[in-house]
Amino acid sequence: MSLSRSWERKVRKNMTVVNKQRKKQGNGQIVFNAEKSEKIVGRNFIAPILLILFIGMYVILMQSSTQFKTDTMFWVTVGCYILLAALFYFRRPYITIGKDYVQTRRMTGDKRITAAAIKGISAQKGYVIVEQQKGGNWVFAKLTNRFPTEEIAAKLKVFAEANHIPFQEK
């Protein structure tokens, strides 16, 4: 049974009020049936490797210089780059496919596009591309971010059929 969109909005609004009250009381949150979404995660490994290689080259070049002294600030810089590489590695990229939206993490933060803002979806071996009406396309690749692209393509195909979005498989 499908609820009308205005009714879903009312239920969602009331659910946020109830969840705030439950959070204050220390109870768990209630999830509305339409709020169910599927989150698929990948693993970012290229940026951490590049950062570690960069900092390795920096250390080698600075150590080979006779005029350069390795002081505290040098090791703080090295440590910060290693922490940045760890941050990129442990902050896994993801795609969340909801009822009427697709959400992912970009460099500037979490981004969400609704079904109305999606021009089309195309899937090919190792890649899934979500084409937007405005802005750049979202590319989910097996090579760069270790996404399970076959699983993403299957779930986005169901999403596209439900929201009348053109789906192209190459």
Side-chain angles (χ1 to χ4, degrees):
M1 185 175 124
S2 178
L3 300 174
S4 69
R5 291 191 191 267
S6 62
W7 182 256
E8 283 183 15
R9 282 194 300 270
K10 287 178 186 177
V11 171
R12 194 175 297 129
K13 182 181 173 188
N14 290 335
M15 195 67 66
T16 57
V17 172
V18 169
N19 281 336
K20 284 181 184 177
Q21 290 172 349
R22 289 178 61 90
K23 188 176 180 181
K24 287 179 185 177
Q25 295 169 354
N27 297 331
Q29 292 186 348
I30 300 171
V31 179
F32 178 56
N33 217 5
E35 291 293 319
K36 290 182 182 173
S37 60
E38 298 184 57
K39 185 175 187 179
I40 304 167
V41 293
R43 174 64 77 186
N44 189 1
F45 67 94
I46 291 179
I49 289 173
L50 289 176
L51 280 169
I52 295 296
L53 288 174
F54 172 75
I55 198 64
M57 291 292 290
Y58 179 66
V59 169
I60 290 169
L61 288 173
M62 292 299 125
Q63 293 290 339
S64 65
S65 174
T66 57
Q67 299 171 343
F68 185 76
K69 290 183 179 180
T70 56
D71 57 351
T72 307
M73 197 61 196
F74 172 78
W75 292 113
V76 168
T77 304
V78 169
C80 286
Y81 272 107
I82 291 171
L83 284 174
L84 184 64
L87 176 85
F88 278 136
Y89 183 75
F90 290 115
R91 213 177 137 206
R92 298 178 72 172
Y94 71 89
I95 176 173
T96 302
I97 304 166
K99 183 177 179 184
D100 60 348
Y101 68 90
V102 176
Q103 180 175 332
T104 189
R105 177 180 294 139
R106 293 290 180 216
M107 288 299 267
T108 56
D110 292 346
K111 300 293 180 193
R112 178 186 283 209
I113 53 174
T114 60
I118 298 175
K119 188 180 359 177
I121 300 170
S122 63
Q124 55 188 348
K125 188 176 187 214
Y127 294 96
V128 175
I129 302 168
V130 177
E131 302 169 17
Q132 296 186 59
Q133 301 282 1
K134 290 183 179 178
N137 298 339
W138 288 359
V139 180
F140 302 97
K142 188 171 204 153
L143 178 67
T144 56
N145 285 334
R146 304 304 305 158
F147 276 113
T149 52
E150 297 83 20
E151 181 183 353
I152 293 173
K155 291 181 179 176
L156 280 176
K157 186 173 188 175
V158 172
F159 171 80
E161 289 171 359
N163 291 292
H164 309 295
I165 298 171
F167 185 85
Q168 182 179 357
E169 207 162 346
K170 297 179 183 176

